Amino acid sequence: MTRRRLYLVIIIIGVICAAYFLYGRYQPHEVVCAPLSGPTDKGLFPAPDKTFYEMTLYLDINSSTIYGATRLNTENTSDQVLQDLYFTIYPDAFRDAAQTPAPREAYYAGFDPGWIEFDEINLNGKKVNYFREGVSLQLNPESDILPGQNIVVDLKWRVHIPRLAYRFGYKNGVYMLGNFYPILNVKEKDGWHNSYNSFFGDPFCFHTANYRVQVSIPETYTLVSTGTNLERIAEDNGRQNYLIKADQVRDFCMVIMHDYNGMQKDIKNTTVTMHMPCDKAGQAGKILNQTGEILNFYSCTWGSYPYPEFNVVFVPMKGFHGMEYSGLIFLREEFADPDFQPTRGEFILAHEIAHQWWYGLVGNDQIKEPWLDEGLANWSAYKYLEHCRDQIPPRQEMPRKGNLARELSDIYSTQDYYLTAYNGGEAFWFGLEEQLGEEKINQVLRRYLAEYRFAIASSQDLLAVIKKEAHQDMNDYFKLWFPD
């Protein structure tokens, strides 16, 4: 080889190495928008790989108000002419003391209303008429939105955060911001799947979407959210800006907090972070290790956790033991107390983490079929404790049959909700395990995850997967839980 050719080869190798250093080694973890599979493809709206939220948010702690601007880009993939668009505006559930879903004890300073107001709404560059009812916002465009037509919605809005220890509210310098922004609902051939105000459960049904969010908060606070923080910029006015990216997530959630400690650990390709009030930080290491074990168990059993980060935040919340969001869960503060029952606390932790698979990765209509994610999350938590802790927390006597087809609106009390969605749902899986065996159940769930990853599945979709994997007649068993 001549000296000139040798120099040329060295230059080429150098360019390749530099490119790897700049674009390979430091490229942020990407969640690839994989094509959806299964019967939910046809007429899917809004389609996850075509739906993008860009939001600019400003928290004013003096008025407990978020000033927001949202640009939603999507496409009419419904195969139908759209004459309206429906959004969920969950903060309006807290306007009225008689209608709020939060329990009375969560209002630690007396009733304080929460709400959302709109300063401007445009659709494809034109002002649009809109109507509000309950927690629904209906947009009425001047002309029909045709199949395949692009949709751009611009909203300028203000949200008041109430003094409320709940999944939406604030207490002791902690702002818990679940479902705080306007989010586009799901439309299928049978119509819109609109949220409503429920005193129990999760009255939501959302497709996954991609988010780019800029958040301005006071410099004395910290922020934890769905997705990955790309950059934090300090300003000279006592505030700071976070730039956040979240791809293919079921929703976007934030916690803005004061006087918290964080502890993190890398679990394979995921950074797991535990966030606790400073006076409870002594339990962070233990719970962080448990979280890593749970994520690893579920990933190895059914399929990998898909995001580069996972956050657990202990918050002053009433009404729920925990609450799940994409890449982020809330747990009640008292679960971090050293004298809290350890098995029960770990079961709740495992249940909420299981929702990253059953609700997050595989979505469902939590209004029409609340058992789908809750029952499976319960069964998953039992399996974790059985395999990794060699212990099973005490369970109520399991029913041998029931009616899992009940919608949230057909359930009339919190106790009835838990008996149906949680106890009935887990009993379905334990009964199925008796018939098929645990390994066959895991095969079912691997296929369920593969076919409905980042999509929305129904009970009928799940039963069809079970039939394929069982290789036997399951109709008699299904009739025990889905009577005609």
Side-chain angles (χ1 to χ4, degrees), residues 65-69 115-122 127-128 130 132 154-159:
T65 300
I66 292 179
Y67 295 88
W115 44 257
I116 182 169
E117 295 291 350
F118 294 92
D119 297 317
E120 187 177 346
I121 302 179
N122 293 326
K127 287 188 177 181
V128 62
Y130 62 90
R132 307 157 64 133
D154 290 296
L155 308 100
K156 290 185 179 179
W157 47 272
R158 291 166 286 125
V159 161

Side-chain angles (χ1 to χ4, degrees), residues 194-209:
N194 291 332
S195 304
Y196 75 97
N197 191 1
S198 174
F199 293 100
F200 45 82
D202 304 307
F204 309 115
C205 178
F206 301 131
H207 278 307
T208 56

Side-chain angles (χ1 to χ4, degrees), residues 447-468:
R447 182 165 188 163
Y448 183 51
L449 177 62
E451 292 194 4
Y452 295 97
R453 183 181 175 89
F454 298 123
I456 291 177
S458 68
S459 295
Q460 291 305 311
D461 294 330
L462 173 61
L463 299 186
V465 171
I466 294 172
K467 285 182 179 180
K468 291 176 186 176

